[in-house]
Amino acid sequence: MEYLPILVLVSSFLALLAIGTPVAWSIAISALLTMLVSIPALPAFTTVSQRIGTGLDSFALLAIPFFVLSGELMNKGGIAHRLIAFAKTLVGSLPGGLALINIISAMLMGAIAGSAMASASAMGSILGPEMEKEGYSKEFGAAVNITSATTGLIIPPSNILIVYSLASGGASIAALFLAGYIPGILTGLFLMIVALIWAKKKNYNVGKRSSLKEVFKTFVDALPSLFLLIIVIGGIVAGIFTATEASAIAVLYTLILGAIYKELTLSGLPDILLSSAATTAVVMLLIGASMCMSWVLSYENIPQDISSGLLSISDNKIVILIIINLLLLFVGVFMDMTPAVLIFTPIFLPVVTKLGLHPVHFGIIMILNLCIGLCTPPVGSVLFVGVGIAKTTIEKVIKPLMPLFLAMILALFLITYFPQLSLWLPGLFDL
């Protein structure tokens, strides 16, 4: 094994991050420095720039800007309010009702928008003040919002599942989308159990029970928003259109729905388009740089070396999965989700497939691991959004966050060692 390339890659990447270089540039520069170890400067510069460009040359990636835009349109188009109202009638009368409403609304919002940031922003700004008014601590409200927002990255449609499909070399997007439902709902249920116990312990206010008439009314109000799920996922699974085509249909549908709700205006569209373009640009730069680093890893045979190293420790599936889970949890603390998926999928996927794991199952394991990372400092983007909206500090949020972390880790354990939780639905549709 040649140690110099991997030493240059890891040390330069960590050094660049330490001095505050943006993640995308840290990835690209460390990939370039690694190439310079093996080949002359001109071919190294040419190869790196070429790989960043060709890394974005994928039809599947066109879905990302469309799903980002549809998420922005949903956030501004009144959909979040209707989902919260529906969730309120379902669980508002239980202990910790507002916390449970936050979790269910985040799951529904995530299932429609596919964005943890959009979910954390919408739920935090709408439900945060209401929770505070009802006597909930703002730190507990922020902790619930932060952790529940990540369920939208597992429950489809999800941009990160599309990225994993690309990194895995062709895992079916339709299969990944279906595989995310049970793990996402299971994670949400575990979060709800913790929130209910915490609220009971703290003796938070309980809301009034909703009548069947109120439940039906809010369901009918939320139905057009929920119908988007049937259009997008149903169309992909039935083979009517691809994930990319489904994302464009989602934009058109949410645009029409926002106009019907009279919460989207022509004057507000430029800001929505600009915000979506800025988010897409950041994501695409990360993808391009990460695809370049993945190619450099492959060129230097680093995945094969790591694979051999892991399998030399043990050939026991349980032991290897524990090691990979711990490594991914560690990676999630320091690295954003998109580059982590693109860089570490080619490293770990060959190892787990040798042990008999299905690529779709491993994709769900990887995404859930990295979802936990989004809630942890120093790089946890959802953590910073949730704390910022709640107007509190990370130090104060850590205590109520810990039991919710444990709930997510328990869900991760079950999903890791019970593959049918991920593979049952895709198997039902022969995907």
Side-chain angles (χ1 to χ4, degrees):
M1 178 177 174
E2 179 61 58
Y3 290 104
L4 186 58
I6 195 165
L7 186 65
V8 170
L9 184 77
V10 173
S11 59
S12 59
F13 179 64
L14 293 176
L16 287 161
L17 283 180
I19 61 172
T21 310
V23 175
W25 296 118
S26 299
I27 293 168
I29 294 166
S30 57
L32 173 63
L33 292 172
T34 308
M35 287 299 291
L36 288 169
V37 170
S38 305
I39 61 174
L42 185 58
F45 276 93
T46 307
T47 303
V48 166
S49 55
Q50 185 187 53
R51 288 291 155 185
I52 290 173
T54 54
L56 298 173
D57 185 15
S58 166
F59 180 69
L61 285 180
L62 278 174
I64 292 176
F66 283 121
F67 276 131
V68 167
L69 178 55
S70 68
E72 286 285 340
L73 289 168
M74 288 169 200
N75 215 0
K76 302 286 194 299
I79 288 172
H81 288 280
R82 285 160 178 81
L83 294 176
I84 288 170
F86 175 48
K88 201 169 189 176
T89 59
L90 292 177
V91 293
S93 61
L94 294 173
L98 284 175
L100 304 184
I101 290 163
N102 193 320
I103 296 165
I104 290 178
S105 302
M107 288 164 72
L108 292 171
M109 182 75 177
I112 295 168
S115 166
M117 303 282 275
S119 180
S121 174
M123 299 307 141
S125 53
I126 297 166
L127 277 172
E130 200 172 329
M131 288 178 82
E132 222 179 317
K133 209 189 318 177
E134 288 292 321
Y136 291 73
S137 75
K138 67 166 70 171
E139 288 74 29
F140 173 68
V144 168
N145 185 33
I146 289 159
T147 48
S148 62
T150 62
T151 57
L153 297 172
I154 311 165
I155 300 171
S158 165
N159 288 337
I160 200 65
L161 289 175
I162 296 169
V163 172
Y164 173 79
S165 170
L166 181 75
S168 66
S172 163
I173 293 175
L176 285 164
F177 276 10
L178 282 178
Y181 274 114
I182 294 173
I185 292 166
L186 184 71
T187 305
L189 284 172
F190 283 0
L191 291 174
M192 287 172 73
I193 291 165
V194 170
L196 196 146
I197 293 166
W198 184 279
K200 218 166 184 182
K201 186 182 167 188
K202 297 288 180 181
N203 212 20
Y204 290 138
N205 289 342
V206 177
K208 67 180 183 68
R209 187 182 293 275
S210 300
S211 66
L212 280 174
K213 186 181 175 183
E214 286 173 314
V215 174
F216 182 72
K217 183 183 179 301
T218 55
F219 172 69
V220 169
D221 283 346
L223 195 57
S225 309
L226 297 171
F227 189 65
L228 180 61
L229 285 178
I230 298 166
I231 294 173
V232 172
I233 307 302
I236 294 169
V237 171
I240 298 167
F241 38 68
T242 65
T244 304
E245 290 160 349
S247 65
I249 289 164
V251 169
L252 185 62
Y253 186 87
T254 48
L255 197 57
I256 293 167
L257 203 58
I260 291 168
Y261 288 157
K262 295 181 181 173
E263 296 199 32
L264 277 181
T265 59
L266 275 175
S267 60
L269 277 179
D271 284 342
I272 291 171
L273 292 168
L274 192 63
S275 174
S276 302
T279 303
T280 301
V282 171
V283 171
M284 289 302 180
L285 182 59
L286 279 168
I287 289 173
S290 302
M291 290 299 281
C292 169
M293 185 183 269
S294 292
W295 185 88
V296 171
L297 288 168
S298 179
Y299 179 81
E300 299 290 354
N301 285 322
I302 292 169
Q304 291 88 330
D305 291 337
I306 292 174
S307 175
S308 303
L310 277 172
L311 291 171
S312 69
I313 296 169
S314 171
D315 58 0
N316 185 304
K317 189 193 288 189
I318 293 171
V319 173
I320 294 295
L321 284 173
I322 288 171
I323 294 168
I324 289 174
N325 273 327
L326 290 172
L327 286 169
L328 286 172
L329 286 169
F330 179 74
V331 164
V333 171
F334 296 101
M335 192 181 282
D336 199 58
M337 192 175 244
T338 302
V341 167
L342 288 165
I343 292 165
F344 289 95
T345 300
I347 292 174
F348 293 135
L349 190 57
V351 180
V352 296
T353 48
K354 275 184 187 174
L355 295 171
L357 243 74
H358 197 289
V360 168
H361 177 213
F362 180 66
I364 301 300
I365 294 171
M366 177 174 252
I367 302 308
L368 185 50
N369 263 296
L370 297 172
C371 280
I372 296 168
L374 289 176
C375 310
T376 55
V379 184
S381 50
V382 177
L383 173 69
F384 293 121
V385 169
V387 165
I389 287 169
K391 296 182 175 61
T392 182
T393 62
I394 290 169
E395 292 78 10
K396 290 178 181 175
V397 169
I398 290 297
K399 188 180 175 183
L401 208 53
M402 287 311 295
L404 294 161
F405 271 150
L406 293 174
M408 292 180 82
I409 288 167
L410 177 59
L412 173 63
F413 175 83
L414 291 175
I415 289 154
T416 300
Y417 293 108
F418 294 92
Q420 282 308 108
L421 291 171
S422 303
L423 299 177
W424 179 69
L425 272 177
L428 212 58
F429 290 90
D430 294 322
L431 292 170

